[in-house]
Amino acid sequence: VVLSERQEALVKSSWEELKENIPQLSVRFFTWVVEIAPVAKDMFSFLRNRDEIPQNDPILQVHGGKVFKLTYESAIQLREKGVVAADPMVKYLGSIHIKNGVIEPHFEVVKEALLKTIEEALGDKWSEEMSTAWAIAYDGLATAIKKEMKDGI
Ligand code: HEM
Ligand code: ISQ
C-alpha cells in the first residue's frame, strides 16, 4: 500500500478544512514558493513585474486551489489503485508545465511550499503524520506529471 487508510483519512479531513479558505491559502502558497525560490516569481504570469504577491488575483487563487485539490484527489487514487493515473488532466499539466519552463527540481520547491502552507493553515490540527500523508499524495501526482513532461506530448 502506498497510502494507508489512516493517511487517506488525514488528508481528507484536513482538505475539508483547507477548502474553506482557498483564496488566502493560495496567496500563502505562492508566498512560500517565492520565499523558497525567488527565481520562480518570473515564471508565473501574474507575479512577473510585480513587487508583491497580488492578494486578490483570481487566476492565482484558482491555480493555487487546483494544486491542493489535485493533491487531495491523488491521495484517494493512491489509496485505491496505488498509482496516480495519467488521465487527460495530468497530460494537460505535463504540457502546460513544459511550456512554462518548469523542470524537475522545481517540484521539490512546490512540495515544500505546499507542506508549509498546510502546516501554517491547520495550526493545532496539524501533525507530522498528516504532513507525511500529504507529501506522499503530492509525490504521486508530481511523478505522474513529470512522466508526461519527459515523454512529451
Ligand atoms: C500552471 C498545477 C507544479 C509552475 C498550473 C496550473 C495548474 C497547475 C492547475 C494551471 C493550468 C491552466 O489551467 O492553465 C500544478 C500541480 C503541480 C504543479 C498540481 C504539482 C503536483 C508546478 C511546479 C512549477 C509550476 C513545480 C514550477 C515552479 C507553473 C506555472 C504555471 C502553472 C509557471 C503557469 C501559470 C501562469 O498562468 O502564468 N499548474 N503545478 N507548477 N504552474 Fe503548476
Ligand atoms: C504551481 N502550479 C500552479 C499553481 C501553483 C501555485 C502555487 C505554487 C505552485 C504552483
Side-chain angles (χ1 to χ4, degrees), residues 17-60:
E17 178 140 347
L18 297 169
K19 75 175 184 194
E20 303 299 328
N21 259 324
I22 293 297
Q24 298 89 319
L25 217 60
S26 298
V27 172
R28 287 305 297 158
F29 188 14
F30 274 102
T31 304
W32 277 116
V33 169
V34 171
E35 200 168 302
I36 298 167
V39 291
K41 194 170 160 285
D42 292 327
M43 298 180 74
F44 293 93
S45 54
F46 36 82
L47 299 185
R48 237 172 267 147
N49 312 316
R50 283 172 192 263
D51 293 331
E52 280 168 36
I53 311 278
Q55 303 292 306
N56 281 304
D57 186 304
I59 312 255
L60 179 155

Side-chain angles (χ1 to χ4, degrees), residues 29-30 33 37 40-48 59 62-71 74 89 92-93 96-97 99-111 114 137-143 145 149:
F29 188 14
F30 274 102
V33 169
K41 194 170 160 285
D42 292 327
M43 298 180 74
F44 293 93
S45 54
F46 36 82
L47 299 185
R48 237 172 267 147
I59 312 255
V62 169
H63 286 189
K66 274 187 191 165
V67 180
F68 284 93
K69 183 156 194 274
L70 288 164
T71 305
S74 296
M89 184 64 186
Y92 169 71
L93 289 176
I96 209 97
H97 289 97
K99 273 196 205 112
N100 281 281
V102 176
I103 53 169
E104 288 210 2
H106 294 152
F107 280 86
E108 280 305 305
V109 173
V110 169
K111 177 181 179 177
L114 181 88
Y138 176 88
D139 285 340
L141 177 59
T143 300
I145 296 173
M149 289 170 66

Side-chain angles (χ1 to χ4, degrees), residues 110-130:
V110 169
K111 177 181 179 177
E112 208 182 308
L114 181 88
L115 297 178
K116 281 186 187 296
T117 305
I118 292 170
E119 175 171 0
E120 190 179 65
L122 292 175
D124 285 353
K125 290 174 192 148
W126 181 90
S127 67
E128 199 72 56
E129 196 185 7
M130 180 185 282

